[in-house]
Amino acid sequence: MTISVVIRTLDEERYLDELLTMCRKQALDEEVEIVLVDSGSTDSTLDIAAAHGAVITHIAKADFSFGRSLNVGCDAATGDVLVFVSGHCVPVDPDWLAHLVAPIRAGVAQYAYGRQQGRDRTKFSEQRLFEKYFPATSAVPQQGFFCNNANAAVSRAAWATHRFDEELTGLEDMALARRIVEDGGAVAYVAEAPVFHVHDESWAQVRRRYEREALALREIMPEVHLSPRDVLRFLLAGVTGDARAALRRGVLRREAGGIIAFRAAQYWGSFVGGQEHRRTARQLKDVYYYPTS
């Protein structure tokens, strides 16, 4: 099987050189194709990609959606396995790619996603979310269809059958994973395939990210949405849990303000994006919004 790494970019110069360098250092016998899908970078993103020999394709900002940009990249790629990694992620080690694609090569799953870890600029509460959603133990295959394209791989056959939903405002990964599972396939979580994921965002950008994802989740799982009471409940739980963790790690004084700001942005964005008058399953809300496992 041949491998193509598809990367969406918009002004990703900060980490892109490190990312592409690590992609070229992977411990694999075959050549790894790198495909960049750029939506209008004005920094040195394209120069960095060209220096690393990447295939560069473009999507206009007016045409951009997360799913559409990935479909454009997959159409341009030639690999039998399509790997997705965020432009602000960096593989932790040279074995990342081999571990990530292993379940697909073995036929155990059609879609796989790897571990995500914080690094120098990662907000404390986001690190806590990484610990919740991307634990140290693999599940090959896993139950359900949770998935995250910041560090993932899919077989070309599965992608070609279902393709990414181009209308969603986010969570195109979960939507595709759900269709694969409903079609009899499987998703795998591979803890041995970690990347550093750095969201260097303002609080407004954090809020918009969660608002966008809540809009998409409403389409994927319409029974899951937040009420004002839920927002307060999860906000208090999130801040309290993060504060206790920060106290244990000796960083509460430094992180207190950021904890409050992050959780407020997360749950307010989720509430605004998910507004809809439908009954909600309490258990599903806890799974998708509660700040700890």
Side-chain angles (χ1 to χ4, degrees), residues 58-95:
H58 301 270
I59 183 170
K61 286 184 179 181
D63 297 329
F64 179 88
S65 72
F66 293 101
R68 184 174 296 123
S69 62
L70 286 181
N71 285 337
V72 168
C74 293
D75 280 329
T78 61
D80 301 307
V81 179
L82 304 166
V83 173
F84 311 114
V85 61
S86 169
H88 43 273
C89 286
V90 178
V92 172
D93 58 54
D95 296 317

PDB file of all heavy atoms in Angstrom, residues 58-95:
ATOM      1  N   HIS A  58      -4.939  23.894  -4.499  1.00  0.00           N
ATOM      2  CA  HIS A  58      -5.555  25.080  -3.902  1.00  0.00           C
ATOM      3  C   HIS A  58      -7.076  24.943  -3.853  1.00  0.00           C
ATOM      4  O   HIS A  58      -7.681  24.256  -4.682  1.00  0.00           O
ATOM      5  CB  HIS A  58      -5.184  26.337  -4.708  1.00  0.00           C
ATOM      6  CG  HIS A  58      -3.709  26.581  -4.789  1.00  0.00           C
ATOM      7  ND1 HIS A  58      -3.027  27.339  -3.869  1.00  0.00           N
ATOM      8  CD2 HIS A  58      -2.790  26.156  -5.691  1.00  0.00           C
ATOM      9  CE1 HIS A  58      -1.749  27.377  -4.196  1.00  0.00           C
ATOM     10  NE2 HIS A  58      -1.576  26.660  -5.297  1.00  0.00           N
ATOM     11  N   ILE A  59      -7.658  25.617  -2.882  1.00  0.00           N
ATOM     12  CA  ILE A  59      -9.105  25.764  -2.808  1.00  0.00           C
ATOM     13  C   ILE A  59      -9.388  27.213  -2.447  1.00  0.00           C
ATOM     14  O   ILE A  59      -8.749  27.784  -1.551  1.00  0.00           O
ATOM     15  CB  ILE A  59      -9.731  24.790  -1.773  1.00  0.00           C
ATOM     16  CG1 ILE A  59     -11.264  24.923  -1.788  1.00  0.00           C
ATOM     17  CG2 ILE A  59      -9.166  24.995  -0.386  1.00  0.00           C
ATOM     18  CD1 ILE A  59     -11.967  23.839  -0.974  1.00  0.00           C
ATOM     19  N   ALA A  60     -10.296  27.843  -3.163  1.00  0.00           N
ATOM     20  CA  ALA A  60     -10.620  29.244  -2.895  1.00  0.00           C
ATOM     21  C   ALA A  60     -11.312  29.376  -1.539  1.00  0.00           C
ATOM     22  O   ALA A  60     -12.064  28.482  -1.129  1.00  0.00           O
ATOM     23  CB  ALA A  60     -11.521  29.786  -4.002  1.00  0.00           C
ATOM     24  N   LYS A  61     -11.046  30.485  -0.864  1.00  0.00           N
ATOM     25  CA  LYS A  61     -11.688  30.701   0.427  1.00  0.00           C
ATOM     26  C   LYS A  61     -13.204  30.650   0.307  1.00  0.00           C
ATOM     27  O   LYS A  61     -13.898  30.149   1.196  1.00  0.00           O
ATOM     28  CB  LYS A  61     -11.250  32.047   1.011  1.00  0.00           C
ATOM     29  CG  LYS A  61      -9.833  32.055   1.542  1.00  0.00           C
ATOM     30  CD  LYS A  61      -9.504  33.393   2.198  1.00  0.00           C
ATOM     31  CE  LYS A  61      -8.082  33.383   2.744  1.00  0.00           C
ATOM     32  NZ  LYS A  61      -7.735  34.670   3.402  1.00  0.00           N
ATOM     33  N   ALA A  62     -13.730  31.154  -0.798  1.00  0.00           N
ATOM     34  CA  ALA A  62     -15.186  31.168  -0.986  1.00  0.00           C
ATOM     35  C   ALA A  62     -15.748  29.752  -1.115  1.00  0.00           C
ATOM     36  O   ALA A  62     -16.929  29.522  -0.839  1.00  0.00           O
ATOM     37  CB  ALA A  62     -15.544  31.984  -2.226  1.00  0.00           C
ATOM     38  N   ASP A  63     -14.912  28.801  -1.531  1.00  0.00           N
ATOM     39  CA  ASP A  63     -15.361  27.423  -1.716  1.00  0.00           C
ATOM     40  C   ASP A  63     -15.008  26.530  -0.529  1.00  0.00           C
ATOM     41  O   ASP A  63     -15.370  25.356  -0.507  1.00  0.00           O
ATOM     42  CB  ASP A  63     -14.722  26.828  -2.976  1.00  0.00           C
ATOM     43  CG  ASP A  63     -15.138  27.561  -4.233  1.00  0.00           C
ATOM     44  OD1 ASP A  63     -16.270  28.075  -4.273  1.00  0.00           O
ATOM     45  OD2 ASP A  63     -14.315  27.630  -5.170  1.00  0.00           O
ATOM     46  N   PHE A  64     -14.294  27.084   0.443  1.00  0.00           N
ATOM     47  CA  PHE A  64     -13.746  26.260   1.513  1.00  0.00           C
ATOM     48  C   PHE A  64     -14.812  25.710   2.442  1.00  0.00           C
ATOM     49  O   PHE A  64     -15.727  26.397   2.869  1.00  0.00           O
ATOM     50  CB  PHE A  64     -12.746  27.073   2.347  1.00  0.00           C
ATOM     51  CG  PHE A  64     -12.157  26.280   3.499  1.00  0.00           C
ATOM     52  CD1 PHE A  64     -11.021  25.525   3.314  1.00  0.00           C
ATOM     53  CD2 PHE A  64     -12.759  26.294   4.751  1.00  0.00           C
ATOM     54  CE1 PHE A  64     -10.478  24.786   4.353  1.00  0.00           C
ATOM     55  CE2 PHE A  64     -12.229  25.551   5.799  1.00  0.00           C
ATOM     56  CZ  PHE A  64     -11.089  24.805   5.605  1.00  0.00           C
ATOM     57  N   SER A  65     -14.690  24.443   2.747  1.00  0.00           N
ATOM     58  CA  SER A  65     -15.257  23.817   3.931  1.00  0.00           C
ATOM     59  C   SER A  65     -14.244  22.755   4.316  1.00  0.00           C
ATOM     60  O   SER A  65     -13.406  22.350   3.503  1.00  0.00           O
ATOM     61  CB  SER A  65     -16.636  23.202   3.666  1.00  0.00           C
ATOM     62  OG  SER A  65     -16.529  22.030   2.881  1.00  0.00           O
ATOM     63  N   PHE A  66     -14.295  22.289   5.564  1.00  0.00           N
ATOM     64  CA  PHE A  66     -13.303  21.318   5.999  1.00  0.00           C
ATOM     65  C   PHE A  66     -13.405  20.035   5.173  1.00  0.00           C
ATOM     66  O   PHE A  66     -12.393  19.478   4.736  1.00  0.00           O
ATOM     67  CB  PHE A  66     -13.485  21.031   7.492  1.00  0.00           C
ATOM     68  CG  PHE A  66     -13.158  22.217   8.350  1.00  0.00           C
ATOM     69  CD1 PHE A  66     -14.166  23.005   8.870  1.00  0.00           C
ATOM     70  CD2 PHE A  66     -11.846  22.547   8.620  1.00  0.00           C
ATOM     71  CE1 PHE A  66     -13.867  24.117   9.649  1.00  0.00           C
ATOM     72  CE2 PHE A  66     -11.535  23.648   9.400  1.00  0.00           C
ATOM     73  CZ  PHE A  66     -12.547  24.439   9.914  1.00  0.00           C
ATOM     74  N   GLY A  67     -14.624  19.566   4.940  1.00  0.00           N
ATOM     75  CA  GLY A  67     -14.805  18.363   4.149  1.00  0.00           C
ATOM     76  C   GLY A  67     -14.408  18.543   2.698  1.00  0.00           C
ATOM     77  O   GLY A  67     -13.760  17.674   2.105  1.00  0.00           O
ATOM     78  N   ARG A  68     -14.777  19.682   2.109  1.00  0.00           N
ATOM     79  CA  ARG A  68     -14.459  19.909   0.689  1.00  0.00           C
ATOM     80  C   ARG A  68     -12.951  19.990   0.484  1.00  0.00           C
ATOM     81  O   ARG A  68     -12.408  19.441  -0.492  1.00  0.00           O
ATOM     82  CB  ARG A  68     -15.140  21.178   0.182  1.00  0.00           C
ATOM     83  CG  ARG A  68     -14.933  21.429  -1.317  1.00  0.00           C
ATOM     84  CD  ARG A  68     -15.747  22.622  -1.790  1.00  0.00           C
ATOM     85  NE  ARG A  68     -17.167  22.354  -1.648  1.00  0.00           N
ATOM     86  CZ  ARG A  68     -18.016  23.128  -0.934  1.00  0.00           C
ATOM     87  NH1 ARG A  68     -17.564  24.204  -0.315  1.00  0.00           N
ATOM     88  NH2 ARG A  68     -19.288  22.818  -0.864  1.00  0.00           N
ATOM     89  N   SER A  69     -12.243  20.662   1.377  1.00  0.00           N
ATOM     90  CA  SER A  69     -10.796  20.788   1.210  1.00  0.00           C
ATOM     91  C   SER A  69     -10.118  19.414   1.297  1.00  0.00           C
ATOM     92  O   SER A  69      -9.186  19.125   0.537  1.00  0.00           O
ATOM     93  CB  SER A  69     -10.212  21.743   2.248  1.00  0.00           C
ATOM     94  OG  SER A  69     -10.411  21.264   3.560  1.00  0.00           O
ATOM     95  N   LEU A  70     -10.598  18.552   2.178  1.00  0.00           N
ATOM     96  CA  LEU A  70     -10.018  17.214   2.259  1.00  0.00           C
ATOM     97  C   LEU A  70     -10.347  16.387   1.021  1.00  0.00           C
ATOM     98  O   LEU A  70      -9.508  15.613   0.543  1.00  0.00           O
ATOM     99  CB  LEU A  70     -10.506  16.506   3.514  1.00  0.00           C
ATOM    100  CG  LEU A  70      -9.893  16.984   4.835  1.00  0.00           C
ATOM    101  CD1 LEU A  70     -10.438  16.187   5.993  1.00  0.00           C
ATOM    102  CD2 LEU A  70      -8.369  16.912   4.802  1.00  0.00           C
ATOM    103  N   ASN A  71     -11.541  16.531   0.497  1.00  0.00           N
ATOM    104  CA  ASN A  71     -11.875  15.833  -0.745  1.00  0.00           C
ATOM    105  C   ASN A  71     -10.979  16.290  -1.893  1.00  0.00           C
ATOM    106  O   ASN A  71     -10.537  15.476  -2.713  1.00  0.00           O
ATOM    107  CB  ASN A  71     -13.341  16.048  -1.095  1.00  0.00           C
ATOM    108  CG  ASN A  71     -14.284  15.230  -0.232  1.00  0.00           C
ATOM    109  OD1 ASN A  71     -13.900  14.208   0.333  1.00  0.00           O
ATOM    110  ND2 ASN A  71     -15.527  15.680  -0.112  1.00  0.00           N
ATOM    111  N   VAL A  72     -10.703  17.585  -1.946  1.00  0.00           N
ATOM    112  CA  VAL A  72      -9.789  18.110  -2.968  1.00  0.00           C
ATOM    113  C   VAL A  72      -8.408  17.483  -2.804  1.00  0.00           C
ATOM    114  O   VAL A  72      -7.772  17.050  -3.776  1.00  0.00           O
ATOM    115  CB  VAL A  72      -9.707  19.650  -2.872  1.00  0.00           C
ATOM    116  CG1 VAL A  72      -8.548  20.187  -3.719  1.00  0.00           C
ATOM    117  CG2 VAL A  72     -11.007  20.287  -3.334  1.00  0.00           C
ATOM    118  N   GLY A  73      -7.929  17.408  -1.569  1.00  0.00           N
ATOM    119  CA  GLY A  73      -6.623  16.818  -1.324  1.00  0.00           C
ATOM    120  C   GLY A  73      -6.585  15.342  -1.648  1.00  0.00           C
ATOM    121  O   GLY A  73      -5.604  14.841  -2.230  1.00  0.00           O
ATOM    122  N   CYS A  74      -7.643  14.617  -1.300  1.00  0.00           N
ATOM    123  CA  CYS A  74      -7.693  13.185  -1.594  1.00  0.00           C
ATOM    124  C   CYS A  74      -7.764  12.929  -3.094  1.00  0.00           C
ATOM    125  O   CYS A  74      -7.177  11.966  -3.605  1.00  0.00           O
ATOM    126  CB  CYS A  74      -8.884  12.543  -0.889  1.00  0.00           C
ATOM    127  SG  CYS A  74      -8.751  12.514   0.912  1.00  0.00           S
ATOM    128  N   ASP A  75      -8.487  13.786  -3.810  1.00  0.00           N
ATOM    129  CA  ASP A  75      -8.546  13.649  -5.271  1.00  0.00           C
ATOM    130  C   ASP A  75      -7.174  13.849  -5.900  1.00  0.00           C
ATOM    131  O   ASP A  75      -6.826  13.205  -6.896  1.00  0.00           O
ATOM    132  CB  ASP A  75      -9.528  14.673  -5.851  1.00  0.00           C
ATOM    133  CG  ASP A  75     -10.984  14.237  -5.712  1.00  0.00           C
ATOM    134  OD1 ASP A  75     -11.248  13.024  -5.747  1.00  0.00           O
ATOM    135  OD2 ASP A  75     -11.852  15.115  -5.553  1.00  0.00           O
ATOM    136  N   ALA A  76      -6.376  14.746  -5.305  1.00  0.00           N
ATOM    137  CA  ALA A  76      -5.040  15.025  -5.843  1.00  0.00           C
ATOM    138  C   ALA A  76      -4.018  13.971  -5.434  1.00  0.00           C
ATOM    139  O   ALA A  76      -2.969  13.838  -6.072  1.00  0.00           O
ATOM    140  CB  ALA A  76      -4.573  16.403  -5.374  1.00  0.00           C
ATOM    141  N   ALA A  77      -4.302  13.232  -4.363  1.00  0.00           N
ATOM    142  CA  ALA A  77      -3.366  12.240  -3.845  1.00  0.00           C
ATOM    143  C   ALA A  77      -3.443  10.943  -4.642  1.00  0.00           C
ATOM    144  O   ALA A  77      -4.448  10.641  -5.282  1.00  0.00           O
ATOM    145  CB  ALA A  77      -3.663  11.970  -2.368  1.00  0.00           C
ATOM    146  N   THR A  78      -2.376  10.155  -4.563  1.00  0.00           N
ATOM    147  CA  THR A  78      -2.319   8.890  -5.300  1.00  0.00           C
ATOM    148  C   THR A  78      -2.252   7.672  -4.376  1.00  0.00           C
ATOM    149  O   THR A  78      -2.286   6.540  -4.856  1.00  0.00           O
ATOM    150  CB  THR A  78      -1.092   8.862  -6.227  1.00  0.00           C
ATOM    151  OG1 THR A  78       0.102   8.971  -5.442  1.00  0.00           O
ATOM    152  CG2 THR A  78      -1.151  10.011  -7.229  1.00  0.00           C
ATOM    153  N   GLY A  79      -2.158   7.881  -3.073  1.00  0.00           N
ATOM    154  CA  GLY A  79      -1.953   6.781  -2.141  1.00  0.00           C
ATOM    155  C   GLY A  79      -3.162   5.889  -1.949  1.00  0.00           C
ATOM    156  O   GLY A  79      -4.308   6.322  -2.116  1.00  0.00           O
ATOM    157  N   ASP A  80      -2.896   4.632  -1.554  1.00  0.00           N
ATOM    158  CA  ASP A  80      -3.963   3.709  -1.183  1.00  0.00           C
ATOM    159  C   ASP A  80      -4.471   3.989   0.229  1.00  0.00           C
ATOM    160  O   ASP A  80      -5.589   3.630   0.572  1.00  0.00           O
ATOM    161  CB  ASP A  80      -3.451   2.264  -1.233  1.00  0.00           C
ATOM    162  CG  ASP A  80      -2.941   1.885  -2.613  1.00  0.00           C
ATOM    163  OD1 ASP A  80      -3.697   2.059  -3.584  1.00  0.00           O
ATOM    164  OD2 ASP A  80      -1.788   1.433  -2.719  1.00  0.00           O
ATOM    165  N   VAL A  81      -3.601   4.589   1.052  1.00  0.00           N
ATOM    166  CA  VAL A  81      -3.974   5.041   2.383  1.00  0.00           C
ATOM    167  C   VAL A  81      -3.804   6.550   2.429  1.00  0.00           C
ATOM    168  O   VAL A  81      -2.754   7.081   2.044  1.00  0.00           O
ATOM    169  CB  VAL A  81      -3.113   4.383   3.480  1.00  0.00           C
ATOM    170  CG1 VAL A  81      -3.514   4.897   4.857  1.00  0.00           C
ATOM    171  CG2 VAL A  81      -3.224   2.870   3.424  1.00  0.00           C
ATOM    172  N   LEU A  82      -4.843   7.241   2.881  1.00  0.00           N
ATOM    173  CA  LEU A  82      -4.849   8.705   2.942  1.00  0.00           C
ATOM    174  C   LEU A  82      -4.713   9.125   4.396  1.00  0.00           C
ATOM    175  O   LEU A  82      -5.553   8.798   5.229  1.00  0.00           O
ATOM    176  CB  LEU A  82      -6.145   9.242   2.342  1.00  0.00           C
ATOM    177  CG  LEU A  82      -6.430   8.790   0.906  1.00  0.00           C
ATOM    178  CD1 LEU A  82      -7.879   9.083   0.529  1.00  0.00           C
ATOM    179  CD2 LEU A  82      -5.465   9.454  -0.073  1.00  0.00           C
ATOM    180  N   VAL A  83      -3.642   9.841   4.692  1.00  0.00           N
ATOM    181  CA  VAL A  83      -3.340  10.276   6.057  1.00  0.00           C
ATOM    182  C   VAL A  83      -3.626  11.764   6.171  1.00  0.00           C
ATOM    183  O   VAL A  83      -3.290  12.547   5.278  1.00  0.00           O
ATOM    184  CB  VAL A  83      -1.865   9.983   6.401  1.00  0.00           C
ATOM    185  CG1 VAL A  83      -1.484  10.592   7.747  1.00  0.00           C
ATOM    186  CG2 VAL A  83      -1.615   8.481   6.403  1.00  0.00           C
ATOM    187  N   PHE A  84      -4.253  12.170   7.271  1.00  0.00           N
ATOM    188  CA  PHE A  84      -4.577  13.574   7.505  1.00  0.00           C
ATOM    189  C   PHE A  84      -3.858  14.042   8.764  1.00  0.00           C
ATOM    190  O   PHE A  84      -3.887  13.379   9.801  1.00  0.00           O
ATOM    191  CB  PHE A  84      -6.087  13.754   7.675  1.00  0.00           C
ATOM    192  CG  PHE A  84      -6.884  13.089   6.590  1.00  0.00           C
ATOM    193  CD1 PHE A  84      -7.720  12.017   6.885  1.00  0.00           C
ATOM    194  CD2 PHE A  84      -6.782  13.496   5.271  1.00  0.00           C
ATOM    195  CE1 PHE A  84      -8.433  11.379   5.892  1.00  0.00           C
ATOM    196  CE2 PHE A  84      -7.500  12.866   4.266  1.00  0.00           C
ATOM    197  CZ  PHE A  84      -8.330  11.811   4.581  1.00  0.00           C
ATOM    198  N   VAL A  85      -3.218  15.184   8.655  1.00  0.00           N
ATOM    199  CA  VAL A  85      -2.564  15.775   9.818  1.00  0.00           C
ATOM    200  C   VAL A  85      -2.709  17.285   9.726  1.00  0.00           C
ATOM    201  O   VAL A  85      -2.605  17.881   8.647  1.00  0.00           O
ATOM    202  CB  VAL A  85      -1.081  15.346   9.909  1.00  0.00           C
ATOM    203  CG1 VAL A  85      -0.285  15.800   8.704  1.00  0.00           C
ATOM    204  CG2 VAL A  85      -0.443  15.845  11.203  1.00  0.00           C
ATOM    205  N   SER A  86      -3.007  17.903  10.844  1.00  0.00           N
ATOM    206  CA  SER A  86      -3.175  19.347  10.880  1.00  0.00           C
ATOM    207  C   SER A  86      -1.842  20.044  10.621  1.00  0.00           C
ATOM    208  O   SER A  86      -0.777  19.541  10.992  1.00  0.00           O
ATOM    209  CB  SER A  86      -3.720  19.762  12.256  1.00  0.00           C
ATOM    210  OG  SER A  86      -3.664  21.165  12.413  1.00  0.00           O
ATOM    211  N   GLY A  87      -1.910  21.226  10.005  1.00  0.00           N
ATOM    212  CA  GLY A  87      -0.711  22.011   9.734  1.00  0.00           C
ATOM    213  C   GLY A  87      -0.033  22.533  10.979  1.00  0.00           C
ATOM    214  O   GLY A  87       1.104  23.028  10.910  1.00  0.00           O
ATOM    215  N   HIS A  88      -0.707  22.467  12.128  1.00  0.00           N
ATOM    216  CA  HIS A  88      -0.067  22.856  13.389  1.00  0.00           C
ATOM    217  C   HIS A  88       0.073  21.660  14.322  1.00  0.00           C
ATOM    218  O   HIS A  88      -0.010  21.780  15.537  1.00  0.00           O
ATOM    219  CB  HIS A  88      -0.816  24.015  14.064  1.00  0.00           C
ATOM    220  CG  HIS A  88      -2.310  23.888  14.041  1.00  0.00           C
ATOM    221  ND1 HIS A  88      -3.078  24.339  13.000  1.00  0.00           N
ATOM    222  CD2 HIS A  88      -3.164  23.349  14.935  1.00  0.00           C
ATOM    223  CE1 HIS A  88      -4.344  24.091  13.255  1.00  0.00           C
ATOM    224  NE2 HIS A  88      -4.423  23.492  14.428  1.00  0.00           N
ATOM    225  N   CYS A  89       0.287  20.478  13.708  1.00  0.00           N
ATOM    226  CA  CYS A  89       0.652  19.277  14.446  1.00  0.00           C
ATOM    227  C   CYS A  89       2.045  18.834  14.020  1.00  0.00           C
ATOM    228  O   CYS A  89       2.466  19.077  12.885  1.00  0.00           O
ATOM    229  CB  CYS A  89      -0.333  18.137  14.170  1.00  0.00           C
ATOM    230  SG  CYS A  89      -1.940  18.319  14.980  1.00  0.00           S
ATOM    231  N   VAL A  90       2.747  18.150  14.923  1.00  0.00           N
ATOM    232  CA  VAL A  90       4.079  17.620  14.619  1.00  0.00           C
ATOM    233  C   VAL A  90       4.166  16.194  15.162  1.00  0.00           C
ATOM    234  O   VAL A  90       3.944  15.983  16.361  1.00  0.00           O
ATOM    235  CB  VAL A  90       5.195  18.474  15.259  1.00  0.00           C
ATOM    236  CG1 VAL A  90       6.568  17.868  14.965  1.00  0.00           C
ATOM    237  CG2 VAL A  90       5.132  19.910  14.756  1.00  0.00           C
ATOM    238  N   PRO A  91       4.460  15.193  14.316  1.00  0.00           N
ATOM    239  CA  PRO A  91       4.627  13.825  14.815  1.00  0.00           C
ATOM    240  C   PRO A  91       5.688  13.763  15.907  1.00  0.00           C
ATOM    241  O   PRO A  91       6.733  14.413  15.816  1.00  0.00           O
ATOM    242  CB  PRO A  91       5.063  13.048  13.571  1.00  0.00           C
ATOM    243  CG  PRO A  91       4.472  13.829  12.425  1.00  0.00           C
ATOM    244  CD  PRO A  91       4.572  15.266  12.841  1.00  0.00           C
ATOM    245  N   VAL A  92       5.427  12.962  16.924  1.00  0.00           N
ATOM    246  CA  VAL A  92       6.336  12.881  18.063  1.00  0.00           C
ATOM    247  C   VAL A  92       7.596  12.095  17.720  1.00  0.00           C
ATOM    248  O   VAL A  92       8.684  12.429  18.190  1.00  0.00           O
ATOM    249  CB  VAL A  92       5.619  12.248  19.280  1.00  0.00           C
ATOM    250  CG1 VAL A  92       6.586  11.960  20.417  1.00  0.00           C
ATOM    251  CG2 VAL A  92       4.498  13.172  19.765  1.00  0.00           C
ATOM    252  N   ASP A  93       7.470  11.054  16.861  1.00  0.00           N
ATOM    253  CA  ASP A  93       8.635  10.203  16.595  1.00  0.00           C
ATOM    254  C   ASP A  93       8.554   9.625  15.178  1.00  0.00           C
ATOM    255  O   ASP A  93       7.522   9.751  14.507  1.00  0.00           O
ATOM    256  CB  ASP A  93       8.733   9.085  17.637  1.00  0.00           C
ATOM    257  CG  ASP A  93       7.483   8.212  17.692  1.00  0.00           C
ATOM    258  OD1 ASP A  93       7.074   7.694  16.631  1.00  0.00           O
ATOM    259  OD2 ASP A  93       6.907   8.061  18.791  1.00  0.00           O
ATOM    260  N   PRO A  94       9.632   8.976  14.715  1.00  0.00           N
ATOM    261  CA  PRO A  94       9.662   8.433  13.347  1.00  0.00           C
ATOM    262  C   PRO A  94       8.772   7.216  13.121  1.00  0.00           C
ATOM    263  O   PRO A  94       8.644   6.767  11.978  1.00  0.00           O
ATOM    264  CB  PRO A  94      11.143   8.063  13.150  1.00  0.00           C
ATOM    265  CG  PRO A  94      11.890   8.836  14.170  1.00  0.00           C
ATOM    266  CD  PRO A  94      10.974   8.926  15.343  1.00  0.00           C
ATOM    267  N   ASP A  95       8.185   6.662  14.173  1.00  0.00           N
ATOM    268  CA  ASP A  95       7.304   5.508  14.015  1.00  0.00           C
ATOM    269  C   ASP A  95       5.827   5.888  13.941  1.00  0.00           C
ATOM    270  O   ASP A  95       4.962   5.006  13.841  1.00  0.00           O
ATOM    271  CB  ASP A  95       7.506   4.535  15.189  1.00  0.00           C
ATOM    272  CG  ASP A  95       8.905   3.953  15.217  1.00  0.00           C
ATOM    273  OD1 ASP A  95       9.399   3.575  14.133  1.00  0.00           O
ATOM    274  OD2 ASP A  95       9.508   3.894  16.301  1.00  0.00           O
TER     275      ASP A  95
END
